[in-house]
Amino acid sequence: MTTKNRFASPRRRHLRNAALGHPTTVSGFIVLIAAFLTMWIVILRCFGEDNPYYWVLKHLETGDYAIGQIEAYRQHNDGKLPEGLDAVGFKNGGIENQYYIQLPGEGFSYDLEYIKLDDTSYVLAFDGHTWGRGQYVSSEGQWNAFSTQYNSSTDRYVIEASEGEGAAKVYLKEFEFAGWYDGLAAQISALIADRKVRNEQYILHILNLDSAERIAYARALTGSTDSICSSYFNCLLTTFDPTQQPEHDYFRDFRGYLMLDGKVCFIVDKSTFQESSFVRRTRKGRLFDVDSKSASSASKRCWFLDVDHSYEGSLMLKGTWPAK
């Protein structure tokens, strides 16, 4: 798979030739220009590494290179997939399933996660949290990817470029509540069990305290635009019906899922900083069929949950919307 013309880059840089002066000054100019260009190559490289578009594009190029090595391994080993990418010469990143991969001729490596699903299929993925994400499911044979850009007027990262819309399978990671947030798990499990509806699915929204979504729900709950602080919460549990909420994208929106009382609860992490999240990755994960419409819910309901960081993880249920 080629990465040429993959994203329509918003930036193009061109170097133009310049005419030199008297021959006796040529060598001096060459040294000066070489030093100048070296400095700018370093500057532009550093700038590129801090640019979400560039970061995603280089991961896609690196991923395509890794796919080529995996498929070559498969051809030479009777169709078997490698257990890990160290089998094709890539360095393990010290984290399970993560590998640092360097393109030929490049001095930098990029990290990708390789997950062997079964004897014939695998997933390659990278995740920049707010910068963008990418995922390749071998059975689909295409990338799902997007990059973001920061919008200062809304103080949010918005989609700048994307690829592979509509992939039928998406691999999501399984998470669990971390440490003393076990109380939150019990609270949410009780809410789910109390519903007693067989086919419901849920979404746990992890929010910043000043997020637009939190403020919007707080206004709806209080019925007043000047009473927002009276409804203070930092996570929100909602029922989820994919037939009624098609705007949710499994790949873009859902960072992973929790299993609560045998039910799937998707996670949408809208917090700015990953360390603000109170869930941790397990070693599990699974493919989801984004075309499946089997889940349903009688009506949408929201539970406002407040995790207090100051008092060793106390939890309060702030209310429901619509009111019962």
Side-chain angles (χ1 to χ4, degrees):
M1 180 185 299
T2 179
T3 58
K4 187 177 180 181
N5 298 325
R6 168 160 268 156
F7 288 166
S9 174
R11 300 175 178 87
R12 293 288 188 270
R13 299 184 178 89
H14 301 279
L15 295 178
R16 300 185 181 278
N17 293 327
L20 299 177
H22 193 277
T24 57
T25 66
V26 169
S27 60
F29 273 118
I30 290 175
V31 173
L32 180 62
I33 290 174
F36 180 79
L37 290 178
T38 299
M39 178 187 71
W40 273 104
I41 287 172
V42 172
I43 292 174
L44 292 175
R45 180 73 194 205
C46 292
F47 172 79
E49 288 294 308
D50 288 332
N51 179 284
Y53 165 80
Y54 180 89
W55 181 88
V56 170
L57 183 62
K58 294 306 294 184
H59 273 82
L60 288 173
E61 293 175 351
T62 305
D64 284 341
Y65 173 64
I67 291 168
Q69 302 303 306
I70 295 170
E71 295 304 327
Y73 179 97
R74 194 205 299 256
Q75 291 179 6
H76 289 88
N77 289 274
D78 300 322
K80 296 180 180 179
L81 289 169
E83 295 297 324
L85 295 189
D86 48 352
V88 293
F90 300 136
K91 183 179 179 181
N92 185 275
I95 301 175
E96 186 180 28
N97 299 328
Q98 186 185 61
Y99 296 87
Y100 290 114
I101 303 171
Q102 187 171 316
L103 289 168
E106 293 233 356
F108 294 82
S109 59
Y110 295 88
D111 62 304
L112 284 101
E113 187 174 16
Y114 169 78
I115 302 163
K116 182 181 175 182
L117 299 176
D118 51 46
D119 291 338
T120 60
S121 61
Y122 60 91
V123 172
L124 278 179
F126 58 90
D127 189 350
H129 197 57
T130 57
W131 279 20
R133 300 167 69 188
Q135 184 179 102
Y136 177 89
V137 179
S138 63
S139 59
E140 300 299 314
Q142 68 176 43
W143 281 98
N144 247 1
F146 69 88
S147 67
T148 67
Q149 62 180 352
Y150 179 70
N151 187 322
S152 59
S153 62
T154 60
D155 192 30
R156 295 179 63 187
Y157 284 89
V158 296
I159 302 298
E160 177 187 30
S162 61
E163 172 174 321
E165 299 296 323
K169 299 284 186 181
V170 171
Y171 182 85
L172 293 180
K173 304 171 183 177
E174 181 178 299
F175 290 80
E176 62 185 7
F177 288 101
W180 43 264
Y181 289 110
D182 291 341
L184 178 59
Q187 179 79 58
I188 295 177
S189 294
L191 288 172
I192 290 177
D194 185 58
R195 296 279 293 178
K196 296 183 175 64
V197 180
R198 291 187 60 188
N199 292 323
E200 283 191 341
Q201 286 183 280
Y202 296 82
I203 303 178
L204 178 66
H205 306 256
I206 302 172
L207 306 170
N208 287 327
L209 290 177
D210 59 351
S211 73
E213 185 172 5
R214 188 199 70 81
I215 292 171
Y217 277 112
R219 285 177 176 171
L221 182 67
T222 61
S224 173
T225 59
D226 59 1
S227 303
I228 297 171
C229 291
S230 66
S231 296
Y232 222 49
F233 58 90
N234 50 17
C235 57
L236 178 70
L237 181 70
T238 68
T239 54
F240 172 60
D241 185 346
T243 63
Q244 301 299 319
Q245 298 167 269
E247 72 276 6
H248 278 290
D249 185 298
Y250 281 57
F251 173 65
R252 288 184 178 177
D253 297 335
F254 299 154
R255 184 155 300 276
Y257 67 97
L258 295 155
M259 292 303 298
L260 296 171
D261 292 346
K263 297 182 182 294
V264 172
C265 178
F266 294 111
I267 303 170
V268 176
D269 190 349
K270 294 188 177 180
S271 59
T272 304
F273 305 105
Q274 283 183 297
E275 57 266 26
S276 67
S277 176
F278 37 78
V279 290
R280 64 188 171 205
R281 171 95 186 262
T282 72
R283 294 188 175 186
K284 299 179 182 179
R286 59 190 270 195
L287 282 176
F288 285 86
D289 185 346
V290 301
D291 294 328
S292 174
K293 304 299 183 184
S294 59
S296 64
S297 59
S299 61
K300 183 175 181 180
R301 185 172 293 278
C302 308
W303 291 268
F304 305 95
L305 303 168
D306 181 37
V307 179
D308 193 331
H309 292 255
S310 303
Y311 299 99
E312 298 184 356
S314 62
L315 176 75
M316 296 177 62
L317 178 63
K318 285 294 187 181
T320 62
W321 183 82
K324 289 184 179 180

